[in-house]
Every structure is written in C-alpha cells, then in structure tokens.
C-alpha cells in the first residue's frame, strides 16, 4: 500500500505532506485545532480525501507516540 503521508526534501522543505499534494500534516492539524470541521478541511482542499485526513492524524499521533521523555531530577542544593 502506498504511503498517504510522505516526507521529501524537495516538497515543502521536507515537512510531512499528503502524497501527491503540497498539503502538510501541519496545515490539516492547524485547521482542525482552529475549529474547522473535518468536512470544512476537505472543502478547503478538494484534492484531500477523508482517508488522507485520517492518515495525517495517524501520522501526527505516531510521531508524538515516538517521542521519548527523559525526566531530569531536580538539583539538590
């Protein structure tokens, strides 16, 4: 299965985009965070499909899930 979200240094400076578009995952997330409905996001980007939108959300979730947190203990005086 072809990846719906890709990273290519030649497209949008390597930001993750929906394949065959210049629509970034960031743009999709920002529109949703601003209160747009999923349908409004699709209407704003006619080339975007519901599957593309879900793939962008999954990409973001997986990117956050891969973050590693290393707690640093407070310095003892």
């Amino acid at each position: 299965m072809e990846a719906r979200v890709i990273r290519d240094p030649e497209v949008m400076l390597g930001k993750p985009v929906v394949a065959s578009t210049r629509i970034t995952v960031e743009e999709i997330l920002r529109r949703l965070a601003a209160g747009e409905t999923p349908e409004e996001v699709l209407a704003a980007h006619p080339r975007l499909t519901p599957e593309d939108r879900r793939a962008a959300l999954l990409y973001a979730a997986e990117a956050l899930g891969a973050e590693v947190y290393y707690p640093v203990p407070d310095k003892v005086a």
Side-chain angles (χ1 to χ4, degrees), residues 3 5-6 8-9 12 14 16 20 22 25 28 33 36 39 46-47 57-58 60 62 71-72 77:
V5 175
I6 62 165
D8 180 342
M12 301 301 288
S20 300
R22 297 176 65 81
V25 170
I28 295 167
E36 288 188 27
E39 294 75 21
R47 294 184 64 196
L57 293 173
L58 179 59
E62 288 179 349
V72 178

Side-chain angles (χ1 to χ4, degrees), residues 23-45:
I23 304 168
T24 63
V25 170
E26 177 184 2
E27 172 71 11
I28 295 167
L29 295 175
R30 287 188 184 280
R31 285 179 171 273
L32 292 170
E36 288 188 27
T37 66
E39 294 75 21
E40 290 171 327
V41 173
L42 294 177
H45 298 287

